[in-house]
Amino acid sequence: MAGISKVTGGGIADGTLSVADIADDAITADKLANSINTDIATGVTGNTTAGNALPKAGGAMTGAITSNNTISDVDGNVRSGRKNLLINGDFQVSQRGDWSSLTNINTTTTLFVDRWKGHSSAVSSSVQHKTGYPYANDKYIRVEATSSGSGYIRAYQMHDGNLNGKAAIFSAMVKSNSSNARLITHVGNTWTSNDTTAKHTGGGAWEKLTFAYTGGDRDVPLSVIGITGATHGALSISSGDYIEVANVQLELGSVATDFEHRSYGEELALCQRYYQPLCSGNHREYIYNVHRFNRTYSTPMRAVPTFIISHTGSATPTGVDLFNGATTDGSVNSWVIAVSTTSIGLAGGSNSMVDIVITATADAEL
Amino acid sequence: MYKLNEHSIQRLSDNASIPIDEGNRDYQQFLQDVKVNTISIVEGEDVIAPDYVALRTGVDGYASTGDQLGMIAAGDGSHATHVAAVKTAFPKSNTGSTTVADVPDWVQAAADAVELQENP
């Protein structure tokens, strides 16, 4: 077929050109309509390469997609699961009790909402578990100074895992009336923060704070939200200074993505590795010298836990002895409490029928 | 204040039973407290000497019910002899006692080995 010198009239009708009638590179960019060139120029940047053919409509693209920048969805994030290294970052779980009223903890480090500690230095403080942010039924926490002085107030979580050398980003929604409210963490043996991205304005509104860092060699990293100096030093605190904190996340990488919402059941199971209430069930049994209760934990615990027995039915042990069973990975999966006749006020060797309901807490928190 | 038990440490302020386990933060706090406040804050384990009831009904006391029935059926006085022997061995005057043992050396050694930690 001779070459086409010019196309006139109605152009080239559908089906006129068959495969390979147009040679490679036969049509150069300046021969395409300007609008097509503009579209290509807009959509293709200098560092983008196509290692594979673009698919036709409805087809799948093969090969990796690479970018020199972030990849965003309509909300500005790419969603993926199991990225939050912190547990109970949205404060759903509170096995240790009801903290819905402001509770004075003075300066004592206090575990309140699961996995979270409230603490203050040199000034007294209160902690509270609140409802209503980001949405009506969502939970958040508040730490408030109740005296003035030079010190700090904070909430923090200690977490398993060494982040040494890893890029990590810590993010949280924070509300405060102090411009010294900030995210801070312990990298190796040094407290660090970022005054540009991780510091609140103090304007009393919710703000998203982020802090990107490279983890140091520390077996038990800390993620802290507090009113404190940039290297966690003391500063002037007034009674009534507060922080409120919601949706706290620590993830690997350098860009803070959207908060990972996990179900209550998932979060509870994660928390139970560190703390869980226990109940033996109701037993009416003969006790002869010693009776041992053997139970399995709901979730294997991080380490052998501390036990506090709170109720024992009609039998009230004055002391208990504790045994624990470990799994091969070091977690602890069962507990045994020995109750003796003498410990419940009966003579040694007595053979007595007693009602026993042992309720206790097992605490293996970091 | 703490009290030692056979398999755990009792924290007297809240009756918590603390395991002797390096990974437990309360055990670590126990060691810190001993290091700061000396061994005087620790009380040794209770040593319970059983009373005559416990001894007579224990493994060294009366024979099993079956064995005693056998002695009675034998009609040779062996049952009366057995009962008398147990009563003699564990007289009613033995009302038992509880003493407190010394704090074992491992507590001080473990406290000496730990480094004092500030609040993280």
Side-chain angles (χ1 to χ4, degrees):
Chain A
M1 171 179 165
I4 299 172
S5 59
K6 187 175 183 181
V7 178
T8 60
I12 301 172
D14 285 351
T16 302
L17 299 177
S18 58
V19 174
D21 283 340
I22 301 175
D24 287 349
D25 301 325
I27 301 174
T28 56
D30 58 355
K31 297 297 187 295
L32 295 173
N34 286 340
S35 61
I36 297 175
N37 281 325
T38 302
D39 288 347
I40 292 173
T42 302
V44 179
T45 59
N47 287 325
T48 301
T49 59
N52 290 281
L54 293 172
K56 62 184 179 182
M61 177 173 258
T62 60
I65 299 174
T66 60
S67 170
N68 285 346
N69 211 322
T70 57
I71 299 174
S72 298
D73 67 5
V74 68
D75 293 328
N77 298 291
V78 173
R79 293 180 171 78
S80 59
R82 297 298 173 271
K83 59 189 178 184
N84 195 354
L85 301 179
L86 299 179
I87 295 171
N88 204 23
D90 56 357
F91 310 105
Q92 293 184 75
V93 182
S94 184
Q95 297 182 94
R96 294 174 191 270
D98 177 11
W99 301 85
S100 58
S101 301
L102 267 175
T103 304
N104 192 358
I105 61 170
N106 296 313
T107 57
T108 304
T109 302
T110 302
L111 279 153
F112 62 123
V113 178
D114 273 62
R115 304 256 40 232
W116 288 95
K117 296 178 183 179
H119 174 238
S120 58
S121 173
V123 295
S124 294
S125 61
S126 293
V127 296
Q128 187 176 12
H129 191 203
K130 303 186 74 174
T131 303
Y133 185 81
Y135 296 96
N137 295 319
D138 290 348
K139 303 287 187 181
Y140 62 102
I141 59 169
R142 178 184 179 98
V143 183
E144 178 178 326
T146 54
S147 69
S148 302
S150 178
Y152 60 74
I153 64 171
R154 62 178 181 165
Y156 67 97
Q157 182 173 138
M158 304 170 76
H159 41 99
D160 287 321
N162 191 319
L163 297 177
N164 192 13
K166 297 178 182 176
I169 185 153
F170 176 23
S171 62
M173 295 303 300
V174 178
K175 181 179 176 181
S176 180
N177 57 356
S178 169
S179 59
N180 285 306
R182 67 180 82 234
L183 309 184
I184 190 166
T185 193
H186 212 165
V187 177
N189 290 315
T190 306
W191 288 105
T192 57
S193 184
N194 183 319
D195 277 357
T196 304
T197 63
K199 190 163 175 279
H200 199 275
T201 63
W206 287 101
E207 298 173 10
K208 183 168 185 175
L209 307 184
T210 64
F211 175 34
Y213 64 94
T214 300
D217 188 12
R218 186 178 176 88
D219 289 335
V220 184
L222 287 86
S223 294
V224 179
I225 308 103
I227 299 178
T228 178
T231 55
H232 213 350
L235 41 72
S236 178
I237 300 280
S238 299
S239 180
D241 284 357
Y242 72 90
I243 51 169
E244 292 185 339
V245 186
N247 288 0
V248 191
Q249 182 154 280
L250 176 67
E251 54 193 314
L252 296 180
S254 57
V255 177
T257 65
D258 62 314
F259 181 76
E260 177 191 11
H261 292 278
R262 295 190 283 243
S263 72
Y264 181 85
E266 290 174 287
E267 211 70 71
L268 176 63
L270 294 173
C271 292
Q272 285 175 332
R273 177 171 162 76
Y274 301 86
Y275 179 89
Q276 55 184 279
L278 305 165
C279 182
S280 68
N282 191 2
H283 294 263
R284 171 167 288 188
E285 300 188 31
Y286 279 107
I287 287 186
Y288 188 81
N289 283 337
V290 174
H291 185 87
R292 289 193 167 87
F293 291 87
N294 186 351
R295 297 291 183 274
T296 301
Y297 291 115
S298 307
T299 300
M301 302 202 73
R302 183 192 65 80
V304 182
T306 298
F307 256 68
I308 298 181
I309 293 186
S310 55
H311 178 64
T312 54
S314 63
T316 307
T318 53
V320 297
D321 217 349
L322 190 60
F323 308 81
N324 285 281
T327 61
T328 53
D329 72 349
S331 300
V332 181
N333 64 357
S334 62
W335 54 281
V336 180
I337 290 179
V339 178
S340 66
T341 49
T342 52
S343 73
I344 59 174
L346 302 173
S350 295
N351 190 354
S352 301
M353 177 76 86
V354 291
D355 288 325
I356 298 179
V357 182
I358 290 184
T359 55
T361 58
D363 188 338
E365 184 55 75
L366 287 161
Chain B
M1 290 289 291
Y2 298 91
K3 181 168 182 59
L4 301 183
N5 289 325
E6 186 178 359
H7 298 100
S8 58
I9 300 162
Q10 189 178 359
R11 186 170 57 208
L12 298 181
S13 60
D14 59 359
N15 262 341
S17 296
I18 300 170
I20 302 167
D21 183 277
E22 294 286 337
N24 183 286
R25 68 190 170 94
D26 292 312
Y27 176 67
Q28 292 297 332
Q29 186 62 52
F30 164 73
L31 297 179
Q32 300 263 324
D33 289 347
V34 172
K35 185 154 192 163
V36 171
N37 301 301
T38 77
I39 200 83
S40 62
I41 64 169
V42 185
E43 187 176 83
E45 190 179 338
D46 281 348
V47 179
I48 299 172
D51 63 6
Y52 74 96
V53 175
L55 292 168
R56 289 182 183 181
T57 55
V59 293
D60 297 324
Y62 295 121
S64 68
T65 303
D67 287 348
Q68 290 194 54
L69 287 172
M71 295 176 201
I72 293 169
D76 57 1
S78 57
H79 183 252
T81 302
H82 168 69
V83 170
V86 170
K87 288 185 174 180
T88 301
F90 307 119
K92 280 191 173 180
S93 58
N94 181 359
T95 56
S97 66
T98 300
T99 56
V100 177
D102 291 337
V103 177
D105 292 340
W106 69 261
V107 176
Q108 186 65 61
D112 289 342
V114 77
E115 290 185 12
L116 287 178
Q117 302 284 332
E118 293 182 4
N119 207 335

